[in-house]
Each structure stands twice: as structure tokens, then as C-alpha cells.
């Protein structure tokens, strides 16, 4: 089991270093389903693991000049305030509710990342050197509160906030998000430690493996095309969101006819949309 936990932790680091997020999305399930921790202990431990790993992963991105320091520090500062409050509130919310909320937010975020810009709109808003302070404050507080509550470093929300809402290039959004994730994670950890302890031998083992993986992931990120990175992040979050949601929902939900009717309708709609898009692209082609 220990070898499996270490292998999964390496994947956590690679994902965090390459995509600027996904660390906590993987770490919480690893600690719950592989290491046998209860939900709240896993959430607390994941904040430590992701915080340390994200700062290690930040190094190769900073050397490649893929970090906007002013935006990251301001966004992280506002997020820390929200993350601490969210971490304190988490003690009063059942673990199952936290994980279901976590999964639903992951799916909503993935939808935003996978939405293809309409033709002619890709450059309607130029990438900014830094975001306006009022946007940083609003987005930082909101992201921080959510990530502190569900025990996430926030990459799955920070990257879309910087790339989709802020207009930063995807590679820079990934690098900058690591700074924010580190700040968020330690602020959220401070809130959670008031009610939950950490299994330090387990935490340090997972962290060491994740740091090694993050350094490799940081090197990969600079060689991947921007749109490929964006879509890889989106589909990764979809898979993990569905997995976490499936683990938390009662078996009766999955055997109910209404559930499969909704899944069938969603699948049909998705296939129809893809076919329509392919038809339009072939018609508009040379």
C-alpha cells in the first residue's frame, strides 16, 4: 500500500507542476482511498502536501519567467483571508458534503476550461501584464473561501480565474497559480489545524514524492502548447470530479432510473453538440 501511495503522490506532483492545479484533487482521494484516512484528516494533510509541493513546483516556472509576481501575491493575499475563514467553517460541515461540493465545483470549472472560444473572440481582450486590483480582490476572496472550505489549494479554480477571467496566457496562469496555491494552502491549513491533527510520517512521505514529481512536471509544462495544456487540465478535472462524486453518492442514486435518464440526456446532448461543431467546421473549411 505504501508503494501505491508513493506512486500516486508522484503523479500528484507531476500534475501540479505541469497544470498548475490538480494537486488537492488527487491528494484527497489518495489519502482517503489508498492511505485510509478519514475525510477531514485527509483534507488537512492535503493542504500541507500541496502547499509545500506547489512552492517547489514554482521554481522551474519562475526561472522560465512564467510567473506574474504582483498578480500572484495580491491574489494570494486576498485568497489567504478567504481560505482561513473557509478552513475554520469546514469543522462544522459534514465530510461527505465537503467532498460532494468539491466534485461539483470541479465539474463546473472543467466546463469553463473546455469551452472553446467562438471564432473571432479569442483576441477581443488582450492579455494583461497584471489584473486590476478590484478583480484580484473579488476573485481572490471568493476562490480562497471555497478552497479553504473544501481543503484545496485552489489550482482548479485559480488557473481558470487567471486564464479565463483575467486573460493571462495559459502558461503564465499555470506558473502564477502555483504561488497562489502555496499561499492558500498554508492559510487553509492554519484554519483546519484548530480542529484536526496531521499524521506527520504519512504527510512527509507523500510530500517528498510529490515534490520530486512536481519538478518533472514543471519541465514538461514549458514544452506543451497552450491550448493543449488548457484542454488537458479541463479533461483531467472532469475525470477526477466524476470519480469523487461517484464515490460519495449513495448506491441507490446510481441505480435509480432518473439518474440514468439524466446521464443519457447529457451524453446525447454532448454527442449532438460535437457533431454539429464538426459539421460547421467541415463546412467552413477550405
Amino acid at each position: 500500500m505504501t508503494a501505491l501511495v508513493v506512486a500516486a503522490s508522484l503523479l500528484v506532483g507531476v500534475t501540479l507542476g505541469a497544470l498548475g492545479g490538480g494537486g488537492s484533487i488527487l491528494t484527497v482521494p489518495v489519502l482517503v482511498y489508498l492511505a485510509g484516512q478519514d475525510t477531514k484528516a485527509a483534507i488537512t494533510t492535503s493542504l500541507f502536501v500541496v502547499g509545500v509541493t506547489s512552492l517547489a513546483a514554482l521554481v522551474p516556472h519562475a526561472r522560465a519567467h512564467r510567473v506574474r509576481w504582483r498578480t500572484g501575491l495580491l491574489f494570494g493575499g486576498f485568497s489567504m483571508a478567504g481560505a482561513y475563514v473557509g478552513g475554520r467553517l469546514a469543522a462544522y460541515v459534514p465530510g461527505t458534503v465537503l467532498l460532494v461540493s468539491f466534485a461539483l465545483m470541479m465539474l463546473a470549472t472543467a466546463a469553463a476550461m473546455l469551452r472553446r472560444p467562438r471564432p473571432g473572440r479569442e483576441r477581443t481582450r488582450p492579455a494583461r501584464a497584471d489584473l486590476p486590483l478590484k478583480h484580484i480582490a473579488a476573485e481572490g476572496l471568493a476562490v480562497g473561501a471555497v478552497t479553504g472550505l473544501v481543503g484545496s489549494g485552489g489550482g482548479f479554480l485559480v488557473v481558470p480565474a487567471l486564464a479565463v477571467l483575467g486573460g493571462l496566457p495559459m502558461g503564465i496562469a499555470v506558473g502564477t497559480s502555483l504561488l497562489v496555491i502555496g499561499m492558500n494552502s498554508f492559510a487553509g491549513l492554519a484554519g483546519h489545524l484548530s480542529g484536526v491533527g496531521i499524521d506527520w510520517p504519512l504527510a512527509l512521505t507523500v510530500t517528498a514524492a510529490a515534490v520530486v514529481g512536481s519538478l518533472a512536471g514543471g519541465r514538461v509544462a514549458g514544452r506543451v502548447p497552450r491550448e493543449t495544456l488548457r484542454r488537458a487540465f479541463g479533461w483531467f478535472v472532469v475525470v477526477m470530479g466524476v470519480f469523487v462524486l461517484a464515490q460519495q453518492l449513495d448506491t441507490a442514486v446510481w441505480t435509480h432510473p432518473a439518474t440514468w435518464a439524466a446521464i443519457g440526456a447529457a451524453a446525447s446532448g454532448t454527442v449532438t453538440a460535437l457533431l454539429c461543431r464538426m459539421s460547421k467546421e467541415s463546412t467552413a473549411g477550405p
Side-chain angles (χ1 to χ4, degrees), residues 8-26 53 57 61 174 178 181 210 213-218 221 229 232-233 236-237 240:
S9 300
L10 284 168
L11 180 59
V12 168
V14 171
T15 303
L16 192 59
L19 302 180
S24 56
I25 293 173
L26 276 174
T53 305
H61 286 275
V174 167
L178 292 169
I181 291 167
S214 73
L215 297 177
L229 196 61
F233 185 95
F236 170 77
V237 175
M240 293 308 303

Side-chain angles (χ1 to χ4, degrees), residues 2 35 39 75 94 97 99 107 134 148 188 203 217 286:
T2 301
T39 300
F75 197 112
V97 174
L99 285 179
L107 294 175
K134 63 180 181 180

Side-chain angles (χ1 to χ4, degrees), residues 5-279:
V5 170
V6 170
S9 300
L10 284 168
L11 180 59
V12 168
V14 171
T15 303
L16 192 59
L19 302 180
S24 56
I25 293 173
L26 276 174
T27 306
V28 172
V30 165
L31 293 172
V32 171
Y33 302 117
L34 297 184
Q37 288 197 313
D38 65 81
T39 300
K40 293 192 176 182
I43 285 174
T44 303
T45 304
S46 77
L47 287 168
F48 174 79
V49 174
V50 173
V52 174
T53 305
S54 63
L55 295 181
L58 179 66
V59 174
H61 286 275
R63 288 178 176 173
H65 306 288
R66 294 193 298 266
V67 179
R68 294 277 167 81
W69 293 100
R70 176 183 176 276
T71 296
L73 290 171
L74 287 174
F75 197 112
F78 286 110
S79 293
M80 286 175 71
Y84 179 79
V85 174
R88 296 298 298 268
L89 291 176
Y92 305 99
V93 182
T96 299
V97 174
L98 289 177
L99 285 179
V100 169
S101 301
F102 191 20
L104 292 176
M105 284 184 295
M106 288 159 61
L107 294 175
T109 301
M113 294 299 292
L114 291 172
R115 186 180 299 119
R116 182 178 297 179
R118 294 179 182 176
R121 294 188 59 183
E122 290 87 345
R123 297 185 180 276
T124 55
R125 179 174 54 184
R128 304 181 181 97
D130 286 298
L131 305 183
L133 182 58
K134 63 180 181 180
H135 290 175
I136 294 174
E139 294 169 14
L141 286 170
V143 168
V146 171
T147 58
L149 185 65
V150 300
S152 164
F156 75 105
L157 289 176
V158 176
V159 173
L162 295 174
V164 178
L165 301 178
L168 294 184
M170 187 62 185
I172 293 177
V174 167
T176 305
S177 75
L178 292 169
L179 175 60
V180 178
I181 291 167
M183 298 172 71
N184 269 359
S185 296
F186 287 115
L189 177 64
H192 279 269
L193 283 176
S194 62
V196 183
I198 288 182
D199 180 348
W200 287 108
L202 174 63
L204 293 175
T205 299
V206 172
T207 301
V211 166
V212 172
S214 73
L215 297 177
R219 292 180 178 274
V220 170
R223 303 174 183 176
V224 179
R226 185 181 306 172
E227 185 60 24
T228 302
L229 196 61
R230 179 190 183 99
R231 296 188 67 80
F233 185 95
W235 283 114
F236 170 77
V237 175
V238 168
V239 172
M240 293 308 303
V242 170
F243 173 77
V244 173
L245 193 60
Q247 293 292 324
Q248 294 303 309
L249 293 182
D250 189 85
T251 305
V253 175
W254 294 110
T255 57
H256 197 283
T259 301
W260 289 102
I263 292 173
S268 299
T270 301
V271 171
T272 302
L274 288 173
L275 290 175
C276 289
R277 176 178 296 172
M278 292 171 63
S279 176

